[in-house]
Amino acid sequence: MTDHTSDPTRLTDLTARQLLAGYEKGDFSPLDATRAVLDRIEVVQPLVNAFVRVAADAALAQAEASTARWRAREPRGLLDGVPVSVKDIFLQRGSPTLRGSRTVRAEGAWDEDAPAVARLREHGAVLVGKTTTPEFGWKGVTDSPLSGVTRNPYDPSRTSGGSSGGSAAAVALGAAPLSIGTDGGGSVRIPASFCGIFGFKPTYGRVPLYPSSPFGTLAHAGPMTRDAADAALLMDVISGADWRDWSQLAPAPSLSAALTDGATGSAGRAGGSGVKGLRIAYSPTFGNQVAVRPEVASAVRRAVGRLAELGAYIEEADPDITDPVEAFHTLWFSGAARLVEPYGAEQRELLDPGLREIVAAGERYSALDYLAAVDARMELGRRFGRFHESYDLLVTPTLPITAFEAGRETPRGSGQRRWTAWTPFTYPFNLTQQPAASVPCGVDGDGLPVGVQLVAGRHADALVLRAAHALYESGAAPGLPAPTAAGS
């Protein structure tokens, strides 16, 4: 095999599928790729603070074992030798999972993998490190009292978004082509949009979770990648069954195979390849309920135009909904309150001040308040279910804005109190549990990425990925300039 460690930039620019093809051909090895990624992490970590721990020695040992398997022409699983990072919300054997909190002790056995991490190991992935999260993943930006501020690859003075902001920044900067994140109100899609990568929130239960999230059935796990094809490949791994999650869905056919198989749309029409023949609703503002920045609106409109050129039937149509933020807050804040219920006053003083605020709000809700929020959630799901009887996909901006100042929960001068004020397109689909993805579709005047969101009815995960893949294949999704931090 050729040693490509003298050209790490090339290896860190490759997708997971390209790495696997290179291993198969013998052009380079998993050890080459892992060394390149670890070198890359050393460069970018001081710039964006994407990692809380880097497991260099363990990763190199895994890469050496994978290299031996590839030389023997006996690769193990779908991701043998591919470097992957893991958000520090997931349990990982041998590594403390502190969840961005000073209240979690690093001491302990740490002898169990979360389901998604266990599947990664089974498929030979190389686990290079744990990525940053706000405390317990509670907000849509990534900073915490434990690990500080995570910054945007396109402008380190801006936020990466959150709560999977470390994963998004790492993928954008070539610090491993794959990462797994969690999404309770947009936490995969928000940083994917801000950092110019692909993020996918599958239907709830498609990726098993353990331990269960304090935020209950709002919380999903999903891939953060360079493109939709890599996300489908990663989904084929992490959606494997795990008995520890009683709410997991039954195993599904390969999502990688579904990218081009012409599966029938959720509204019952045969889609052909890509998006041809699909009926797509374009809702630019949720019926004038959301103020979207003009540059964001223009980039999303161009992506919608590309879908039309690819053969989709586009209709501007808004779902029949009102903003469900109060129901979301009731469920979200109650989850936060339950999470810290055992904490004494001393431990609570260690929490992020914003987290303490929502805990206090959550403690004021009654059981009847909670059940009223559940009722609102069920009604929202019914309305979207009816909407998808007519439309295969819904397209919106992922966010109405681009990345703002790092270290803040809301944009300066906005008058907004909580992160949900600027994420009105994301959290509704955690309430309804629908699959949704953010696809990069351009940049604003400051060179900051813009994302377009693709949403389908529950269980139509393949349809979202297939439409996103069509955008990438057509050239509409890539085309972003290199992140500013990439050349540093």
Side-chain angles (χ1 to χ4, degrees):
M1 288 188 181
T2 305
D3 183 357
H4 280 249
T5 54
S6 61
D7 187 13
T9 300
R10 189 173 93 81
L11 289 179
T12 56
D13 284 346
L14 298 182
T15 66
R17 290 166 299 108
Q18 289 169 331
L19 287 176
L20 291 166
Y23 302 160
E24 175 68 27
K25 295 176 183 176
D27 291 341
F28 45 79
S29 73
L31 190 56
D32 296 333
T34 301
R35 284 173 174 159
V37 163
L38 292 172
D39 288 347
R40 188 78 179 128
I41 292 173
E42 283 191 12
V43 172
V44 304
Q45 176 64 9
L47 301 172
V48 296
N49 186 34
F51 287 84
V52 292
R53 277 175 300 285
V54 178
D57 291 343
L60 289 171
Q62 293 164 26
E64 287 179 355
S66 176
T67 296
R69 290 193 294 270
W70 278 103
R71 284 178 174 151
R73 315 302 286 178
E74 296 176 349
R76 183 180 74 201
L78 297 177
L79 293 177
D80 202 352
V82 176
V84 183
S85 66
V86 174
K87 183 180 181 180
D88 198 37
I89 290 289
F90 295 94
L91 291 178
Q92 182 175 322
R93 190 175 71 243
S95 176
T97 300
L98 304 184
R99 300 190 287 173
S101 182
R102 294 181 294 179
T103 68
V104 180
R105 297 179 62 85
E107 298 83 2
W110 300 110
D111 56 0
E112 190 171 21
D113 284 330
V117 178
R119 303 294 87 75
L120 288 170
R121 287 193 200 273
E122 291 168 3
H123 283 264
V126 174
L127 303 176
V128 297
K130 301 294 285 293
T131 58
T132 52
T133 175
E135 194 162 22
F136 302 113
W138 80 270
K139 60 183 174 180
V141 293
T142 301
D143 57 70
S144 75
L146 179 68
S147 52
V149 178
T150 298
R151 300 178 179 276
N152 192 290
Y154 284 81
D155 180 349
S157 73
R158 312 288 185 110
T159 180
S160 63
S163 63
S164 307
S167 289
V171 171
L173 290 169
L178 305 178
S179 192
I180 52 172
T182 58
D183 189 315
S187 291
V188 161
R189 291 159 291 152
I190 294 164
S193 181
F194 277 180
C195 294
I197 68 162
F198 183 74
F200 179 55
K201 180 190 78 67
T203 300
Y204 178 80
R206 180 60 60 209
V207 177
L209 280 171
Y210 174 83
S212 57
S213 169
F215 302 108
T217 58
L218 294 172
H220 303 55
M224 306 184 74
T225 60
R226 296 274 181 79
D227 59 24
D230 265 12
L233 175 63
L234 185 50
M235 281 294 298
D236 286 344
V237 171
I238 64 175
S239 60
D242 194 293
W243 62 266
R244 292 172 292 175
D245 184 353
W246 64 270
S247 64
Q248 66 184 309
L249 297 177
S254 167
L255 289 172
S256 293
L259 291 180
T260 56
D261 70 355
T264 300
S266 58
R269 284 165 292 279
S273 62
V275 297
K276 186 176 181 181
L278 297 182
R279 187 174 181 188
I280 297 178
Y282 167 43
S283 180
T285 62
F286 271 177
N288 295 317
Q289 295 184 71
V290 182
V292 178
R293 287 186 185 170
E295 289 174 303
V296 171
S298 294
V300 172
R301 194 176 302 114
R302 286 193 296 271
V304 171
R306 188 63 180 140
L307 291 169
E309 292 171 3
L310 293 170
Y313 299 108
I314 307 293
E315 180 180 344
E316 191 163 322
D318 300 307
D320 177 24
I321 62 166
T322 55
D323 188 355
V325 69
E326 292 306 320
F328 181 83
H329 281 172
T330 300
L331 300 173
W332 193 254
F333 297 175
S334 296
R338 178 69 181 92
L339 171 68
V340 306
E341 185 182 19
Y343 288 11
E346 187 174 333
Q347 276 186 300
R348 291 188 179 218
E349 280 301 311
L350 298 175
L351 297 173
D352 182 328
L355 178 56
R356 285 203 303 271
E357 290 177 7
I358 72 164
V359 165
E363 289 172 335
R364 292 192 291 269
Y365 292 124
S366 69
L368 290 178
D369 293 329
Y370 192 92
L371 291 173
V374 171
D375 286 343
R377 179 183 193 179
M378 293 172 69
E379 173 61 16
L380 184 71
R382 185 189 69 81
R383 288 173 184 257
F384 271 110
R386 182 175 62 188
F387 186 80
H388 284 289
E389 286 291 299
S390 300
Y391 299 102
D392 299 301
L393 290 170
L394 169 65
V395 177
T396 74
T398 305
L399 298 167
I401 61 175
T402 52
F404 52 87
E405 181 183 350
R408 297 184 55 85
E409 185 181 345
T410 59
R412 187 181 297 276
S414 67
Q416 296 169 339
R417 180 65 177 158
R418 295 267 79 99
W419 62 271
T420 44
W422 51 269
T423 61
F425 293 114
T426 60
Y427 59 76
F429 302 109
N430 294 83
L431 289 166
T432 63
Q433 303 185 339
Q434 293 171 242
S438 181
V439 184
C441 63
V443 295
D444 68 5
D446 293 325
L448 297 168
V450 174
V452 58
Q453 181 174 233
L454 308 178
V455 185
R458 291 179 77 243
H459 308 295
D461 302 71
L463 192 59
V464 173
L465 289 168
R466 182 157 61 89
H469 182 62
L471 283 175
Y472 277 100
E473 290 287 285
S474 73
L480 296 183
T484 303
S488 302

